[in-house]
Amino acid sequence: MKKKVTIQDIADAVGYSKTTVSRYINGQTNMMSAETASRIKSVIELLDYHPSDLARSLKTKKTYTVGVVISDISSPFSASVVAGTGEILEQNGYVPLFINCHEEPRREQRAIESLVSKGVDGLIVNTTAPENDFLYGYMTQGIPIVLCDRRLRNYNMDIVEEDNEEMISVLVKHLKEQGYTRLALFTQDRVHSSAKNIRHHMFLKAVEREFDYNAQDDIYHIKSSDVESTVRELKAFMNTVKDDEVPAIIGANTVMTMLAYRAIKNVGYRMPNELGLCGTNAWTWEESTTWMEMLRPTVTCVTIHGYEIGRKCALRILEKIERPGGIVKTIRVDTNFQPNESTLRKKA
């Protein structure tokens, strides 16, 4: 049986004290020369030494785990967030514990209760609903918490998000510049998040400002992943469009934009002249490649960088774990507007 390598073995091999080796393992390299740190690192790699997580936890009072609670892990946005969050946490020696809540508040509460009982050092929460008194209660108990993309209605907490108001405003203004006169918002049914509410509100506000009419009746609620439902709502919207109006649809999130595109193709409307389409997109494979640019026609979108949101959530929770207290921060991740063929009725 292979003998387990100890700190003493490392110390004997490099000729330094156990204290010096322990300082290196605990990241206190500022207390030694670069040469000493390099020698210890080489021996650790040579002997394939792995510190005991249990021993480290007993000493530091940490579990080196972070709970990451996701409202719906099947969405493109959530997939990007998970990738970015996991990368940063793992790079810093933490194990992310991901839990999917299927957009159900009760599941979210049970998940958070379970994670807290297991002693996680902090929580990153993409909450299912804006009313979560229990989550704020855990924060008041001293548990570091960072919200991801979705706010709580009555509480001020650390959050990393995109600018939902600005992205909808940009899309509405673009559609006006391209000559569209009648707009609809396709949004997800049975989702009650702050991001969704902000996009609803901003759609109404922006249409009122740019076109001077109330678009409340032009908000359509679509069942997730249901093309037939989307086709019905598309036809319902188009049946209300007058002969002198030029219609366009905004997808409130990536899934809605994808469904609207499929429905438009199924029915046979031609973009951009018969009907325009734009929306938000959080699904990229590379910085220069999105699914909306692979379609014909290509689709106008505001790109949400879910991967970067996930990274910044992880960095912020690590800050809060290491330095509890301090001011509450709102961190915004920039979006990018990309006009494409689906709305470009006028040449620049």
Side-chain angles (χ1 to χ4, degrees):
M1 182 176 178
K2 183 179 178 181
K3 177 181 178 292
K4 181 176 176 60
V5 178
T6 66
I7 292 179
Q8 187 62 61
D9 294 330
I10 304 296
D12 291 342
V14 294
Y16 298 132
S17 67
K18 282 179 61 178
T19 301
T20 300
V21 175
S22 294
R23 284 173 178 166
Y24 174 86
I25 291 170
N26 291 317
Q28 299 172 336
T29 54
N30 61 312
M31 303 180 69
M32 64 189 68
S33 68
E35 181 184 356
T36 297
S38 178
R39 286 184 62 186
I40 295 173
K41 179 177 183 293
S42 298
V43 171
I44 285 175
E45 292 175 351
L46 181 65
L47 297 181
D48 194 25
Y49 171 74
H50 299 284
S52 166
D53 289 339
L54 177 59
R56 187 169 63 150
S57 297
L58 292 172
K59 184 175 181 179
T60 63
K61 308 300 181 185
K62 294 179 182 177
T63 61
Y64 291 90
T65 58
V66 170
V68 185
V69 180
I70 302 295
S71 58
D72 178 13
I73 209 165
S74 66
S75 76
F77 172 77
S78 297
S80 298
V81 167
V82 165
T85 302
E87 178 185 274
I88 294 299
L89 291 177
E90 289 166 8
Q91 283 178 358
N92 286 273
Y94 282 77
V95 176
L97 304 178
F98 296 105
I99 297 184
N100 180 27
C101 297
H102 303 279
E103 293 289 1
E104 295 180 17
R106 280 296 303 151
R107 282 196 181 197
E108 179 183 330
Q109 184 168 351
R110 290 196 299 270
I112 290 172
E113 289 170 351
S114 175
L115 289 166
V116 171
S117 71
K118 289 177 169 54
V120 293
D121 296 327
L123 293 167
I124 296 171
V125 183
N126 172 234
T127 183
T128 58
E131 294 86 9
N132 277 346
D133 293 343
F134 74 92
L135 184 57
Y136 183 76
Y138 280 124
M139 191 188 82
T140 61
Q141 295 174 30
I143 297 174
I145 299 174
V146 173
L147 299 177
C148 175
D149 184 58
R150 297 181 175 187
R151 295 173 171 269
L152 297 190
R153 181 164 294 151
N154 299 319
Y155 304 110
N156 184 30
M157 300 174 66
D158 284 85
I159 184 168
V160 181
E161 61 182 358
E162 72 279 0
D163 192 335
N164 287 290
E165 292 189 8
E166 177 64 16
M167 73 172 67
I168 297 299
S169 180
V170 164
L171 291 173
V172 171
K173 186 175 181 180
H174 165 75
L175 292 173
K176 181 181 180 181
E177 291 171 348
Q178 291 300 314
Y180 294 97
T181 60
R182 178 74 180 279
L183 274 54
L185 180 72
F186 278 25
T187 189
Q188 210 158 343
D189 193 19
R190 295 196 301 269
V191 174
H192 306 286
S193 71
S194 63
K196 175 182 174 180
N197 293 338
I198 291 170
R199 292 175 193 180
H200 280 201
H201 172 74
M202 195 59 216
F203 173 75
L204 296 174
K205 184 178 177 180
V207 170
E208 180 74 33
R209 181 183 66 244
E210 300 291 344
F211 297 94
D212 195 28
Y213 75 88
N214 187 330
Q216 183 64 55
D217 292 337
D218 291 327
I219 296 178
Y220 292 83
H221 297 270
I222 312 295
K223 293 181 180 179
S224 179
S225 302
D226 188 343
V227 179
E228 291 183 4
S229 166
T230 313
V231 168
R232 286 195 299 270
E233 299 299 341
L234 169 63
K235 290 180 177 179
F237 168 58
M238 293 300 287
N239 285 337
T240 69
V241 176
K242 299 175 183 178
D243 290 340
D244 62 344
E245 292 177 326
V246 184
I249 293 170
I250 296 176
N253 60 26
T254 309
V255 174
M256 291 297 100
T257 309
M258 293 171 72
L259 286 174
Y261 184 92
R262 290 181 63 187
I264 292 169
K265 284 289 191 177
N266 284 2
V267 176
Y269 290 114
R270 290 176 297 175
M271 296 177 277
N273 292 324
E274 290 183 333
L275 174 63
L277 173 66
C278 60
T280 64
N281 173 41
W283 199 350
T284 60
W285 286 275
E286 296 178 1
E287 286 300 316
S288 60
T289 306
T290 75
W291 69 272
M292 294 186 176
E293 293 173 343
M294 298 178 184
L295 304 176
R296 291 296 178 269
T298 55
V299 180
T300 294
C301 65
V302 172
T303 299
I304 301 168
H305 300 285
Y307 184 81
E308 186 62 22
I309 289 174
R311 291 182 77 258
K312 289 189 181 298
C313 281
L315 290 170
R316 181 57 183 152
I317 198 65
L318 293 175
E319 287 179 3
K320 292 179 69 67
I321 291 169
E322 294 303 318
R323 293 181 292 279
I327 62 172
V328 173
K329 290 185 179 181
T330 295
I331 300 170
R332 287 225 167 94
V333 175
D334 291 339
T335 56
N336 300 104
F337 174 61
Q338 178 60 54
N340 277 317
E341 296 166 346
S342 64
T343 60
L344 292 177
R345 299 177 69 243
K346 298 180 180 180
K347 293 183 179 180

